[in-house]
Amino acid sequence: MKISFLLHNAFGIGGTITTTFNLAQALADRHQVEIVSVLRHRERPDFALDPRVSLRPLVDLRHEKEHPLHLKPARVFPAAEYRYRQYSELTDLRIGEHLARTDADVVIGTRPGLNVHLARQAPEHVVRIGQEHLTLDNHSPRLRTALRRAYRRLDVLTTVTEADAVSYRRKMRLPCVRVEALPNSVPDPVLPAADGTAKVIVAAGRLVPVKRYDLLIEAFAPVAAAHPDWRLRIYGKGAEQARLRRLIEDLGLSDRVFLMGAAAPMEAEWVKGSIGATAADFEPFGMTIVEAMRCGLPVVSTDCPYGPGEIIEDGTDGRLVPVADREAMSAALLELVQDEERRRHMGRRALENARRFGPVPVVEQAERLIDEAMAARGSGREVSAERGRIQHALVSRGFAARDVAYTVASGALRTVRRGKR
């Protein structure tokens, strides 16, 4: 079977890129796998890619950034999608040509705008699987309205958490589409797990406001005061770096808190710590949580929507604290810092419980979904069992009507504002 992933930009850094590379590599054990990157801006990807997985770009920005068609706005890629300004008539053309000529049995889209292309342009014989790496509630009403129209042509839609899958089934009217949670996978560790003795807390991810590294640093201050031999290491890069550095200096933590820059892969850094931490306000899944747990670290995390609560078992393999609660975060960190036996025990449980996010169980679930979708398409049956559920239809229509009304009102307001200029 040939499986093709359609990815925004395989040459960047981000959770969707990481999990796509991970899943593609695991599937390559039994299938022919390719990754098609819509955009390319450098020679090689930041992440190592299994040589069994082919990678090819559709638009090379190093040479085609000023292409006449790339200077015109996209017409297929939805305007309400976050990445819309990076798409163009050129990307529309190249994606459409690629899908029309694909010899893949299965094409997997990896973001809403690409799922729209897949739904509208893939040949009938191709099994169409859309992945959602954010959450339905995170999308604007305007985007949700566009997705309702397009997603009905998908065979399968996967979310990274069961909570979001429930949200899609309830709020979106996709009667012939199977909606299931498929968590992100993390490769099996190659290094010995952390033993819980290092006096280091590790955090990793993009340095952006939603990740709330400022709150984590402030929560660590009482830990550093009570236990001056402990350190906090934060890995990643982003727009918040300068502000976070000033905060560290203002709190007098320059010799306790370190902005380490980006590291890929992170496994060698996780195993140097004893506790993982994240203070995000919003986390669709929580890739770094799984990475830390797979390296034997208990993780202290905010219990934000949607991922952490489906990954961490509070008090067993980590701690969940309320969002934006600095004192609760500090108390949870202190609890593990002060009790080495408990910390090491929770680290062992984290290692054991995170195995469900390894390549084997995730790939087995992915293959089952693919096989069932192919069988249903071949026999002309619907993949989903949702059709005919009257209550579901009424509820989803209510949400759809609300989104349409909001979209119309927003459009009218924009028109009025333009008229006043």
Side-chain angles (χ1 to χ4, degrees):
M1 182 191 308
K2 183 172 182 179
I3 301 170
S4 178
F5 290 86
L6 186 58
L7 188 62
H8 167 65
N9 188 343
F11 299 83
I13 292 178
T16 300
I17 301 169
T18 303
T19 190
T20 299
F21 277 36
N22 290 345
L23 183 56
Q25 175 177 307
L27 286 167
D29 287 338
R30 291 191 290 273
H31 306 283
Q32 181 183 354
V33 183
E34 70 172 3
I35 295 175
V36 176
S37 178
V38 176
L39 302 177
R40 177 184 191 170
H41 68 289
R42 59 165 61 112
E43 181 63 25
R44 294 182 179 84
D46 280 322
F47 299 107
L49 182 62
D50 191 304
R52 298 172 301 172
V53 179
S54 64
L55 171 63
R56 62 188 179 93
L58 299 180
V59 175
D60 193 331
L61 296 176
R62 297 174 300 172
H63 315 299
E64 298 182 295
K65 190 173 184 180
E66 301 302 320
H67 190 291
L69 290 180
H70 196 54
L71 301 178
K72 297 180 179 180
R75 297 184 180 184
V76 179
F77 196 92
E81 224 266 36
Y82 169 69
R83 296 285 186 182
Y84 176 70
R85 292 186 180 276
Q86 295 177 256
Y87 285 75
S88 64
E89 282 194 16
L90 182 61
T91 59
D92 279 355
L93 176 65
R94 297 279 173 82
I95 296 170
E97 290 177 341
H98 158 66
L99 290 173
R101 294 196 300 257
T102 185
D103 61 347
D105 301 292
V106 181
V107 178
I108 301 174
T110 56
R111 64 175 307 109
L114 298 181
N115 295 339
V116 169
H117 272 279
L118 177 60
R120 292 176 57 179
Q121 297 176 319
E124 283 301 317
H125 69 274
V126 171
V127 171
R128 308 164 186 181
I129 298 179
Q131 290 183 340
E132 280 283 0
H133 290 277
L134 289 175
T135 67
L136 179 61
D137 291 341
N138 189 245
H139 296 328
S140 68
R142 187 181 175 201
L143 179 57
R144 289 197 295 262
T145 298
L147 298 184
R148 280 189 182 90
R149 299 190 193 106
Y151 276 14
R152 296 174 189 180
R153 302 179 187 179
L154 296 174
D155 295 292
V156 178
L157 179 66
T158 67
T159 62
V160 290
T161 64
E162 182 56 37
D164 199 38
V166 170
S167 185
Y168 266 93
R169 295 182 196 120
R170 181 167 178 257
K171 298 178 180 180
M172 299 284 276
R173 191 159 181 263
L174 307 173
C176 301
V177 182
R178 181 170 187 165
V179 180
E180 282 209 24
L182 180 69
N184 294 331
S185 70
V186 172
D188 293 326
V190 296
L191 299 175
D195 63 9
T197 60
K199 296 179 179 181
V200 177
I201 299 169
V202 181
R206 292 176 299 120
L207 305 185
V208 293
V210 72
K211 298 297 185 180
R212 294 305 311 271
Y213 288 110
D214 57 335
L215 186 141
L216 178 59
I217 292 167
E218 291 168 352
F220 178 72
V223 178
H227 300 273
D229 50 347
W230 275 77
R231 302 290 182 266
L232 170 62
R233 296 176 183 169
I234 299 174
Y235 292 85
K237 59 183 181 180
E240 289 278 279
Q241 182 168 338
R243 189 175 78 87
L244 294 175
R245 193 173 300 282
R246 287 195 300 271
L247 176 62
I248 292 168
E249 293 172 355
D250 290 345
L251 293 175
L253 295 173
S254 298
D255 59 342
R256 313 282 176 81
V257 179
F258 302 94
L259 300 180
M260 306 293 292
M266 265 295 296
E267 182 181 347
E269 310 308 322
W270 290 120
V271 298
K272 295 174 185 175
S274 290
I275 302 169
T278 173
D281 287 339
F282 170 76
E283 194 68 77
F285 178 67
M287 194 74 168
T288 59
I289 297 174
V290 178
E291 289 178 353
M293 292 173 68
R294 295 222 75 194
C295 290
L297 274 64
V299 178
V300 177
S301 171
T302 44
D303 191 13
C304 58
Y306 282 81
E310 292 190 19
I311 300 171
I312 297 170
E313 185 177 346
D314 187 33
T316 299
D317 51 24
R319 290 299 320 276
L320 294 170
V321 301
V323 174
D325 192 330
R326 185 181 302 103
E327 288 72 25
M329 172 68 67
S330 188
L333 290 172
L334 274 168
E335 173 189 322
L336 296 185
V337 164
Q338 293 171 345
D339 191 337
E340 180 176 327
E341 183 178 350
R342 177 171 170 77
R343 183 172 72 243
R344 297 180 71 176
H345 174 73
M346 291 178 73
R348 290 191 293 270
R349 291 298 302 272
L351 189 64
E352 178 183 339
N353 293 347
R355 287 193 180 118
R356 69 189 189 276
F357 299 107
V360 172
V362 173
V363 165
E364 286 177 349
Q365 185 180 352
E367 288 181 322
R368 175 179 57 80
L369 284 172
I370 291 170
D371 290 343
E372 291 175 1
M374 290 187 72
R377 180 172 281 275
S379 65
R381 293 182 290 107
E382 295 172 0
V383 181
S384 174
E386 295 292 337
R387 183 181 290 278
R389 295 188 179 180
I390 296 175
Q391 183 178 5
H392 168 83
L394 291 175
V395 170
S396 62
R397 282 173 182 163
F399 281 104
R402 187 183 308 169
D403 284 345
V404 169
Y406 186 93
T407 300
V408 170
S410 297
L413 183 59
R414 284 195 298 271
T415 300
V416 170
R417 286 174 175 169
R418 282 197 296 268
K420 289 182 177 179
R421 289 176 185 171

